[in-house]
Amino acid sequence: MNINLTLIGQAIAFFIFVVFCMKYVWPPITAALQERQKKIADGLAASDRAARDLELAQDKAAQELREAKQEGAALIEQANKRAAQIVEASKDDARKEGQKLIEQAKAEIEQERNQAREALRAEIAAIAIAGAEKILESSVDANKHSEMLDKLAAEL
Amino acid sequence: MAGTASEYIRHHLQNLTYGNLPAGYERADGSVLNDSTWTIAKNAAEASDMGFWAVHVDSLGWSVLLGVIFLGLFRMAAKKATSGTPGGLQNFVEVMVEFVDTSVKETFHGRNKVIAPLALTIFCWIFLMNLMDLVPVDFLPWLFHAAGVEYMKVVPTTDVNVTLGMSLSVFLLIIFYSIKIKGVGGFMSELTMHPFSSDNIFLKILLVPVNFLLEGVSLLAKPVSLALRLFGNLYAGELLFILIALLPLWAQWTLSVPWAIFHILVITLQAFIFMMLTIVYLSMAHEDNH
């Protein structure tokens, strides 16, 4: 239990250890701890931000989807309308075409009938002249009587 | 190590002392010194006759060795400290550092770069020194005896010099920071104007010695209580281990095991108390709110 120089030796050792600890042990460890703390805080902030971004992106995606759907629906409607129009128009066209064809055909028929009638008339006139020649036993001057014959033919 | 029980105990409580013996001193073996000699004390009487100018080689040696182990370990971790995933050693060191850091931050609110490393050093170093108490009491002395060293006290904190050395260092820090923060005048007025104070200038002067006595005692009690608390606990623990070692071999474990387990608590607690009180005292030295 003697108090002696050990006391001072211990105090000196204590002093040296504390200084060493203060200079070479404490700062690197606390620096690493603080850096890790910062990293974790940054990481958490980043994940928060990412979650928010994700939410925003989802919202945006949903909105765009909705818009696209609307647009698609509008397009389909327009297309339907257009198709109906086209069908209507082509029906019209077809009707018109048909009408035209019918008219043309009618005109042709008319023309052919006229031609046939013309021909028939001419033939009948000839037959009539021939008949008349036979009846009169003399030739009929076709040129002389053409006016009369024409009148006759026109009556047929 | 043969002999009576009291010899055995006394032997175990004797430090390995290196010091100066005066000329004409009769040594333990009966020889008389012609000149004053620096030597290792051969028994307790020689050690105490060496007076103040002697060193407990074992206490200092073990405490420095343990301090170097502590700082070496922590320095190794500090060198490789990363902010990424820590390894096992770094993890342990970080736990210690954070534990000390929170203890300091809870108690000490000023700005001081010294206190936290100081507290860490105190806690770990004292813990390691106390831990030597759990080494079986005869083991290391027996090894050293075989190597020719007569006395070996392996628990530095059972040496009052060691604990006083540390507590007096803390005491010096208390005085240093008191004067640094409050100035010499502030520190003096803290010692003389409290706890009794008066508006009457005459009465005030009359109260100075009373205050000084009270405050002086409470100031001086700090290092003494700090040192003696640690010393007393560890000395008692060591003594109990020595007493248990006197029992027959087959019966020793029935007492030594429970006591060792209980002692783990004492060891940690005493290291913690020394650290906490140091922080508290230094934080009181920083506060100027009297």
Side-chain angles (χ1 to χ4, degrees):
Chain A
M1 208 64 53
N2 316 312
I3 300 287
N4 59 25
L5 218 52
T6 316
L7 190 151
I8 293 166
Q10 179 73 11
I12 292 168
F14 182 51
F15 175 75
I16 292 169
F17 287 156
V18 169
V19 168
F20 183 88
C21 182
M22 199 174 81
K23 285 231 150 66
Y24 300 108
V25 174
W26 191 265
I29 294 172
T30 46
L33 281 173
Q34 271 164 7
E35 206 183 314
R36 178 164 333 121
Q37 224 164 30
K38 194 173 165 297
K39 258 190 190 172
I40 291 170
D42 286 356
L44 285 175
S47 85
D48 272 1
R49 214 164 37 240
R52 227 177 11 252
D53 283 357
L54 180 67
E55 213 171 294
L56 280 178
Q58 271 172 347
D59 277 1
K60 204 174 165 197
Q63 199 181 338
E64 269 178 16
L65 198 65
R66 214 162 37 240
E67 274 171 17
K69 266 183 188 164
Q70 277 173 357
E71 210 169 309
L75 275 175
I76 289 170
E77 206 178 325
Q78 211 176 341
N80 277 341
K81 221 186 271 174
R82 181 101 186 91
Q85 271 175 3
I86 287 171
V87 167
E88 211 53 43
S90 52
K91 265 185 190 167
D92 248 26
D93 278 2
R95 207 175 290 127
K96 275 183 197 148
E97 193 72 19
Q99 205 66 37
K100 214 161 83 186
L101 279 174
I102 289 168
E103 270 163 27
Q104 219 170 351
K106 273 183 181 165
E108 248 166 65
I109 290 167
E110 193 64 28
Q111 205 179 350
E112 262 168 39
R113 207 173 66 179
N114 283 349
Q115 269 174 4
R117 197 184 279 166
E118 254 351 272
L120 207 60
R121 201 178 280 147
E123 227 167 283
I124 288 175
I127 293 171
I129 290 168
E133 265 174 6
K134 281 242 176 91
I135 295 167
L136 298 173
E137 289 296 332
S138 65
S139 69
V140 174
D141 189 353
N143 287 331
K144 226 180 179 173
H145 304 287
S146 67
E147 202 182 331
M148 192 189 69
L149 282 172
D150 280 344
K151 226 185 265 177
L152 190 69
E155 271 171 30
L156 284 172
Chain B
M1 258 174 271
T4 64
S6 72
E7 269 172 14
Y8 173 80
I9 293 170
R10 242 183 258 130
H11 181 271
H12 261 290
L13 294 179
Q14 177 57 42
N15 282 103
L16 182 67
T17 314
Y18 180 80
N20 190 15
L21 288 174
Y25 185 84
E26 192 185 338
R27 299 210 61 174
D29 53 9
S31 63
V32 178
L33 293 171
N34 296 322
D35 306 307
S36 69
T37 325
W38 286 92
T39 182
I40 300 272
K42 286 205 173 107
N43 61 19
E46 279 190 17
S48 74
D49 285 338
M50 282 171 178
F52 182 77
W53 297 104
V55 174
H56 290 161
V57 180
D58 47 2
S59 296
L60 260 191
W62 284 110
S63 76
V64 169
L65 177 73
L66 292 167
V68 167
I69 288 173
F70 149 61
L71 285 175
L73 211 66
F74 273 55
R75 175 68 188 148
M76 217 157 73
K79 255 189 196 166
K80 284 188 275 181
T82 65
S83 56
T85 316
L89 178 64
Q90 197 191 334
N91 233 335
F92 166 72
V93 167
E94 275 176 10
V95 168
M96 296 304 301
V97 166
E98 287 213 302
F99 160 66
V100 171
D101 204 30
T102 36
S103 299
V104 170
K105 275 182 183 147
E106 275 168 7
T107 316
F108 180 76
H109 302 294
R111 278 185 165 274
N112 192 324
K113 282 200 297 191
V114 180
I115 289 185
L118 175 80
L120 179 70
T121 311
I122 286 175
F123 181 71
C124 293
W125 196 19
I126 291 182
F127 177 77
L128 284 176
M129 290 197 280
N130 291 352
L131 198 64
M132 294 302 287
D133 213 1
L134 292 181
V135 178
V137 278
D138 272 326
F139 180 62
L140 284 167
W142 177 76
L143 274 184
F144 277 90
H145 184 74
V149 180
E150 183 63 17
Y151 296 105
M152 182 52 58
K153 212 169 141 193
V154 296
V155 191
T157 39
T158 57
D159 184 347
V160 77
N161 287 297
V162 168
T163 57
L164 259 182
M166 297 181 81
S167 72
L168 286 179
S169 308
V170 171
F171 180 63
L172 290 181
L173 280 176
I174 293 172
I175 303 233
F176 171 74
Y177 281 118
S178 291
I179 292 175
K180 192 185 165 195
I181 302 293
K182 301 162 192 161
V184 180
F187 185 44
M188 277 300 141
S189 80
E190 191 182 287
L191 286 180
T192 51
M193 301 300 172
H194 303 275
F196 302 116
S197 178
S198 171
D199 291 333
N200 186 329
I201 186 79
F202 179 71
L203 208 59
K204 210 169 183 176
I205 292 169
L206 207 66
L207 283 171
V208 162
V210 182
N211 284 331
F212 187 70
L213 192 70
L214 279 169
E215 287 288 321
V217 165
S218 86
L219 184 68
L220 289 176
K222 284 174 185 173
V224 174
S225 69
L226 207 54
L228 290 187
R229 179 183 302 108
L230 179 61
F231 164 73
N233 271 284
L234 269 290
Y235 192 80
E238 177 78 349
L239 198 61
L240 212 57
F241 276 121
I242 294 169
L243 290 176
I244 291 168
L246 287 169
L247 291 174
L249 198 61
W250 55 267
Q252 284 183 14
W253 66 271
T254 54
L255 288 172
S256 68
V257 169
W259 180 239
I261 291 169
F262 176 66
H263 215 57
I264 294 171
L265 179 72
V266 174
I267 284 167
T268 322
L269 199 64
Q270 287 305 320
F272 179 70
I273 287 172
F274 201 108
M275 178 189 83
M276 271 327 279
L277 284 178
T278 304
I279 299 169
V280 168
Y281 290 159
L282 286 177
S283 107
M284 278 161 74
H286 278 74
E287 275 161 14
D288 204 2
N289 53 5
H290 270 290

